[in-house]
Amino acid sequence: MTISTANKQLDKTTALILAAGQGTRMQSETSKVLHEIAGRPLIYYSIRAALDAGCKDVVVVVGHAKEQVARYVVEMFGEQVRMAVQSIQKGTGDAAAAGLAAVDGDNKNIVVFYGDAPLIVADNIRAVTLALEAAPSSLHLATCTLDDPTGYGRIIRNSTSSIVAIREQRDLRSSEEANIREINPGIYAASLEFFRAALASLKPTNAQGELYLTDIVTFAVANHQPVVSISLPTDVLLGVNDRVQLADAEGKMFSRIANHWRRFGATISTGAMIDDAVRIGRDCVIGPGVILRGETVIGSQVRIDVGCVVTNTKIGDASLLKPYTVIGNSIVDKYAQLGPFSHIRPDTNIGEGAHIGNFVETKKTTMGAGSKANHLAYLGDGIVGERTNIGAGTIFCNYDGTRKHLTTIESDVFIGSDSQIVAPVRIGAGAYVATGTTVVKDVPADALAIGRVRQENKEGYAERIRQRNRSAKGSSGAQGQ
Ligand code: UD1
Ligand code: CA
């Protein structure tokens, strides 16, 4: 799932992607095409399909919330994509006309599609565009056949099966038309010359009073230009108009992404949710309910068990994430083991073979190779060397109420359970910190730091306490427990 532009065949084709609409049915302050599925905005998928198809010139028509949409497109795709502006949203035909104004004059072929159809892939664009190359004077469009065509433009054919029109849901003229299951997924290809003439001819004579891109079909028919349909599989079709369709599209995208990595040799449970930008190596096992987000890279032979959430993190080969580990913006080297229930916060660096166990929280901390913190600890702002053992209940006291301070623990150190390490402080290589110590000053290499109160045993004292408690209870008349 990478962006590749290496396809010479569509060098002379401009892809025009319409993304200026408001998306009223989303009920949102955000532009529809910036709503995300599988970790990327809808518009990303349309642009990538165009680039992957090999279109050298890609123009995105922006309008509603154009600053936000344009900012995203520029950040993500840089100079690979140009922008055109449709200032007033007067319909898809008007949007396409706004886009035409920006088309590279050298390009003679145009393919137009929508920014709200994220399941369309490069092959679909290529199918329609290559058909155009074979028959340059025709209008080419994709069609799909659905069990439930509700909401889509219907493909109207005459008695000889030629396409004569596309009729929008709101403009259907009869129940026969409503029952037509062949619909318009919205990919059109023709010559620049054809689009110029066809778009100039559009009239807003429809239920919405808009200029419909779909009416270029009627123009072609009136001008005796053949209309060629290319039938596409139904799984590419899904125009996202509301949040129900957004969820549907995301579900389909997740299963498409999982299948992609399965084909590369990963075992992925159904129900795992893997973002589009994630990479997964061979022989990984991804358990149920696992969520892999953002720019996460999983090496090979990694096992990620039930319910882990991994965000923007690199996991090295043969590492193991036990159930319900949450990790973000961090790096894990090979053979490491995390979890169950570890919370690895940003800028953590887990070394080769290191172990982080249950209820251990880390932040901005480096754990050297082979070091372990197996139970119940907070390791914030720390540098830990190799083969160091951090006992249960250890806390790096990194915050003085104003600033964060660094804890440095060198290699081969043993930190006894329930120790507080008050930063800034350094514990030298090979040192021991006795259980229950509050470390407030540096510990030299190979020293023992012990800072707890000496234990005293008072023989028989327990019975005296019990008697005192009993008499206190009697005199106050307190209720038994
Ligand atoms: C459109 C098609 C319909 C097709 C369906 C497929 C038309 C008239 N209808 O309907 O036949 O079955 O897509 O999903 O084309 N846009 C603009 N400027 C505008 C209006 C829309 O740029 O003035 C953009 C939108 O941002 C969107 C795309 O065009 O990305 C489609 O617009 P939308 O209103 O969603 O069209 P549909 O009603 O879904
Ligand atoms: Ca739509």
Side-chain angles (χ1 to χ4, degrees):
M1 313 215 121
T2 49
I3 301 166
S4 88
T5 53
N7 201 315
K8 294 254 181 309
Q9 279 167 294
L10 299 184
D11 264 6
K12 286 280 171 226
T13 302
T14 292
L16 214 59
I17 301 172
L18 310 186
Q22 183 175 358
T24 318
R25 289 164 280 182
M26 295 297 281
Q27 305 281 359
S28 175
E29 299 296 318
T30 307
S31 157
K32 173 167 74 175
V33 295
L34 291 182
H35 281 262
E36 293 191 358
I37 64 170
R40 304 219 198 243
L42 296 178
I43 185 69
Y44 168 86
Y45 297 99
S46 300
I47 296 174
R48 190 179 63 193
L51 293 172
D52 280 354
C55 296
K56 222 177 74 186
D57 189 35
V58 178
V59 176
V60 177
V61 182
V62 295
H64 179 77
K66 61 175 186 294
E67 289 81 14
Q68 287 101 301
V69 179
R71 193 179 317 125
Y72 169 75
V73 172
V74 169
E75 261 170 34
M76 192 66 209
F77 295 99
E79 290 182 354
Q80 297 182 95
V81 176
R82 296 183 300 120
M83 238 74 66
V85 177
Q86 181 197 25
S87 2
I88 306 168
Q89 282 68 66
K90 290 186 286 190
T92 50
D94 180 63
L100 271 201
V103 164
D104 177 348
D106 288 348
N107 273 1
K108 57 186 192 325
N109 292 339
I110 309 288
V111 56
V112 183
F113 56 105
Y114 302 132
D116 68 350
L119 299 176
I120 286 175
V121 293
D123 278 353
N124 310 136
I125 312 289
R126 287 178 63 76
V128 179
T129 315
L130 293 176
L132 171 65
E133 289 194 351
S137 57
S138 304
L139 166 61
H140 300 260
L141 52 94
T143 73
C144 275
T145 302
L146 293 186
D147 289 338
D148 178 10
T150 312
Y152 293 100
R154 310 295 205 278
I155 305 291
I156 312 287
R157 292 180 184 266
N158 64 14
S159 53
T160 60
S161 282
S162 301
I163 298 179
V164 291
I166 298 175
R167 197 96 70 226
E168 294 306 297
Q169 176 79 33
R170 297 217 227 170
D171 301 298
L172 293 169
R173 293 176 186 174
S174 64
S175 57
E176 284 74 34
E177 284 189 358
N179 288 334
I180 294 172
R181 290 168 49 234
E182 189 186 17
I183 62 91
N184 168 35
I187 309 175
Y188 320 81
S191 66
L192 177 58
E193 203 185 340
F194 170 85
F195 271 111
R196 284 219 170 104
L199 294 174
S201 80
L202 299 180
K203 299 274 179 308
T205 49
N206 50 61
Q208 302 195 81
E210 290 188 348
L211 298 174
Y212 283 172
L213 175 57
T214 44
D215 287 344
I216 61 175
V217 172
T218 333
F219 176 86
V221 172
N223 289 278
H224 311 291
Q225 238 152 337
V227 180
V228 180
S229 66
I230 295 98
S231 165
L232 298 183
T234 54
D235 65 346
V236 308
L237 175 90
L238 209 148
V240 174
N241 297 317
D242 60 28
R243 296 189 198 231
V244 175
Q245 289 167 325
L246 186 74
D248 192 6
E250 184 167 64
K252 291 188 162 108
M253 189 61 83
F254 279 145
S255 79
R256 190 182 276 183
I257 292 167
N259 283 338
H260 172 83
W261 295 114
R262 285 170 181 137
R263 287 189 197 99
F264 276 91
T267 295
I268 297 171
S269 293
T270 47
M273 296 182 206
I274 300 167
D275 274 2
D276 182 77
V278 172
R279 307 273 170 274
I280 302 175
R282 288 179 65 173
D283 287 317
C284 286
V285 178
I286 312 291
V290 168
I291 300 181
L292 304 180
R293 290 185 183 143
E295 309 268 332
T296 287
V297 180
I298 312 287
S300 57
Q301 296 182 318
V302 174
R303 220 184 157 89
I304 304 185
D305 211 334
V306 184
C308 292
V309 180
V310 184
T311 308
N312 294 326
T313 287
K314 194 167 180 292
I315 310 268
D317 296 346
S319 282
L320 169 64
L321 273 63
K322 296 177 195 168
Y324 303 104
T325 292
V326 176
I327 178 166
N329 297 84
S330 291
I331 297 173
V332 178
D333 207 336
K334 46 186 183 286
Y335 305 113
Q337 288 192 24
L338 313 177
F341 299 103
S342 304
H343 186 190
I344 312 295
R345 292 171 49 207
D347 300 319
T348 297
N349 216 310
I350 310 283
E352 180 175 339
H355 290 190
I356 301 286
N358 38 199
F359 308 109
V360 174
E361 175 183 350
T362 68
K363 187 220 77 176
K364 224 175 180 179
T365 286
T366 297
M367 283 291 274
S371 286
K372 292 178 183 165
N374 276 327
H375 331 264
L376 298 159
Y378 174 62
L379 314 180
D381 299 293
I383 298 173
V384 177
E386 300 183 356
R387 299 170 303 279
T388 281
N389 190 84
I390 296 185
T394 297
I395 294 178
F396 289 3
C397 307
N398 60 329
Y399 187 45
D400 61 11
T402 311
R403 285 171 306 157
K404 304 284 170 68
H405 301 282
L406 182 68
T407 294
T408 307
I409 302 178
E410 296 180 355
S411 296
D412 302 301
V413 170
F414 180 90
I415 308 283
S417 301
D418 193 30
S419 295
Q420 296 86 50
I421 319 291
V422 182
V425 77
R426 169 182 288 268
I427 299 176
Y432 263 72
V433 171
T435 293
T437 296
T438 301
V439 176
V440 292
K441 58 182 184 197
D442 289 359
V443 180
D446 294 318
L448 166 70
I450 177 159
R452 59 188 183 227
V453 176
R454 193 172 287 276
Q455 181 175 334
E456 198 185 330
N457 290 340
K458 299 191 174 182
E459 293 289 339
Y461 207 91
E463 186 49 32
R464 282 174 59 188
I465 294 172
R466 281 192 286 272
Q467 274 178 12
R468 199 175 59 202
N469 288 351
R470 273 198 292 271
S471 62
K473 212 164 158 188
S475 68
S476 73
Q479 302 288 307
Q481 309 206 13

